[in-house]
Amino acid sequence: PPALQQLSSDTGSFWSTSSRCARIDSRTVSPDTFFKDFVAAHKPVIIEHLVDHWGALSKWDDVGHLVEHCGDSYVTVNYSPDGYGDSVKQLQTGQRVFVKPLEKKMQFRAFVEDLYEGKKPSGVHPRAVPYLSRQNDSFSDEFKTLFKDVDTSLEFAERAFRNFPEAVNLWFGDERSVSSTHQDPFENFYSVVKGEKRFILYPPSDVPFLCEQVFQQANYVMRDGHFAVELEKDSFTPWITVDPLLTSDELGQKYPLYKFAHPVEVNLKKGETLYLPALWFHHVSQTGKTIAVNYWHDMAFDFRFTFYNFVRASSGLNSYGELPSELEIRKCLENYGSVGRNSNAPSFLILIGV
């Protein structure tokens, strides 16, 4: 529609004006200037030298240091057959569902043995991909002994947002792990401690062009040493289906509206911090063994949130955070099948190839 084409044009002209992310030096830019230039403008930026003082930058290159200080701690490890947790998958039945990773509690040293040596815990498939990616304050819950190597809160962010982080999370995996395109309702400071992260970002106004659809939710489980998918009865969620790692020709054929989107590529290296504004979409991959720490601060539900929901409504989508409507659920079931829809039926296990 002409209105959405105008939205795309205006986004490129006045908001997301470059395919590359801006950079600032925290030693010369004050939190107030950062807030004015990036938070108020709702634009991402790479912040240099913000975490130069962290002991983790030198100590965490040695995984033995981590094992020494928290090897006996029990941590939550996410497993998937291909490294994609929280993503849309097509099952052998033809149904497309949103699948969450298998969560397994184990000692941190066992996770390291798996990631570095491929020593799998009992009952886990030999090709299963491990990723420390639990959210909701995972660092505070499971890695408190490592807080001496990083900040419990970034003073720069505190001064800019005038609040403390709602959650601090730790991410640890390798090049096999990928986070599909999604968004979070938090202001995000994301610092790489080891390795390199690659982000592909999209402003919230790109939501009409990223092919959001409603899918039945499911979970990876292990059955007799093999991955299976267990559907959640009467549980549905919207999710972005665009995969920016496809070639430009594949993207154009599969997602004809993607040409109106405004991807911003970010290669975040060790010691750098990405400010990712709330509700910006992001797809994340990494190079080799990579560790990162991120800080979530509460977002402001102001005119920007109102504008975003208007764009969603104008695109035929529900307001952000609302459960799918019965009409959307029926459409999902018509397109992808009704397995597990009857609340009186048991959950279904659907075996997959791995």
Side-chain angles (χ1 to χ4, degrees):
L4 292 183
Q5 292 186 39
Q6 185 65 51
L7 172 68
S8 174
S9 177
D10 288 348
T11 297
S13 297
F14 305 116
W15 188 6
S16 187
T17 57
S18 173
S19 62
R20 295 294 175 184
C21 195
R23 287 177 173 269
I24 60 172
D25 188 330
S26 64
R27 300 171 299 183
T28 58
V29 175
S30 71
D32 288 341
T33 299
F34 158 75
F35 187 92
K36 174 176 68 71
D37 291 346
F38 296 99
V39 179
H42 211 56
K43 290 184 176 182
V45 63
I46 297 171
I47 308 173
E48 299 174 345
H49 302 293
L50 185 64
V51 297
D52 283 357
H53 60 285
W54 281 9
L57 292 177
S58 59
K59 296 176 181 177
W60 291 11
D61 276 338
D62 177 13
V63 71
H65 170 84
L66 300 175
V67 172
E68 178 183 350
H69 286 83
C70 60
D72 294 331
S73 299
Y74 279 85
V75 299
T76 305
V77 179
N78 289 331
Y79 278 99
S80 63
D82 58 1
Y84 281 77
D86 289 346
S87 62
V88 175
K89 295 294 182 184
Q90 184 165 335
L91 306 180
Q92 292 175 342
T93 60
Q95 183 183 10
R96 295 178 74 198
V97 297
F98 172 74
V99 189
K100 291 171 281 188
L102 165 71
E103 288 192 352
K104 193 169 182 66
K105 205 81 169 178
M106 65 180 69
Q107 287 185 313
F108 178 73
R109 69 175 69 253
F111 161 76
V112 170
E113 289 176 351
D114 187 350
L115 186 68
Y116 281 76
E117 304 172 30
K119 294 182 179 179
K120 299 296 178 191
S122 175
V124 173
H125 192 278
R127 293 199 301 274
V129 179
Y131 191 24
L132 274 177
S133 57
R134 175 179 171 259
Q135 302 169 39
N136 301 320
D137 214 23
S138 65
F139 201 116
S140 301
D141 289 345
E142 299 182 341
F143 298 94
K144 285 182 179 178
T145 55
L146 295 177
F147 262 132
K148 60 182 174 298
D149 296 335
V150 301
D151 292 325
T152 57
S153 177
L154 295 171
E155 183 182 358
F156 189 92
E158 289 175 23
R159 292 172 59 189
F161 295 127
R162 307 292 197 272
N163 61 30
F164 294 101
E166 180 72 19
V168 183
N169 304 305
L170 184 139
W171 309 80
F172 191 179
D174 61 20
E175 66 281 353
R176 295 171 295 173
S177 294
V178 178
S179 297
S180 63
T181 307
H182 65 286
Q183 60 186 164
D184 300 306
F186 294 100
E187 302 282 9
N188 192 352
F189 269 58
Y190 196 106
S191 301
V192 173
V193 177
K194 174 184 173 70
E196 181 176 333
K197 290 272 187 174
R198 183 186 184 221
F199 291 78
I200 302 176
L201 313 178
Y202 305 89
S205 57
D206 274 357
V207 67
F209 317 124
L210 300 180
C211 197
E212 180 181 299
Q213 298 177 35
V214 171
F215 299 94
Q216 186 167 4
Q217 297 197 75
N219 298 277
Y220 282 123
V221 295
M222 296 301 300
R223 291 294 181 269
D224 299 323
H226 294 274
F227 273 103
V229 172
E230 185 173 30
L231 300 176
E232 296 183 9
K233 293 178 294 188
D234 293 321
S235 182
F236 297 81
T237 189
W239 202 256
I240 297 297
T241 60
V242 161
D243 181 357
L245 299 185
L246 296 176
T247 67
S248 56
D249 287 344
E250 290 172 329
L251 283 168
Q253 292 172 4
K254 201 169 183 180
Y255 310 104
L257 293 180
Y258 186 78
K259 63 185 177 183
F260 296 112
H262 304 82
V264 178
E265 295 186 10
V266 177
N267 291 312
L268 198 66
K269 301 181 186 300
K270 176 180 175 178
E272 296 179 336
T273 299
L274 172 66
Y275 163 60
L276 179 60
L279 298 181
W280 270 65
F281 294 96
H282 47 292
H283 177 282
V284 192
S285 55
Q286 50 209 340
T287 302
K289 306 290 190 299
T290 303
I291 308 176
V293 178
N294 86 296
Y295 301 79
W296 274 342
H297 289 255
D298 284 336
M299 66 173 282
F301 289 88
D302 54 16
F303 68 93
R304 291 168 293 190
F305 186 68
T306 303
F307 163 74
Y308 177 57
N309 274 334
F310 175 76
V311 173
R312 292 184 62 86
S314 301
S315 309
L317 303 171
N318 271 6
S319 293
Y320 179 76
E322 284 191 2
L323 294 174
S325 66
E326 190 62 32
L327 178 62
E328 289 175 309
I329 292 174
R330 286 203 300 271
K331 184 178 179 181
C332 166
L333 297 176
E334 289 170 1
N335 290 338
Y336 304 126
S338 58
V339 178
R341 178 65 171 113
N342 185 346
S343 61
N344 295 318
S347 298
F348 287 77
L349 286 174
I350 299 176
L351 294 177
I352 60 177
V354 177

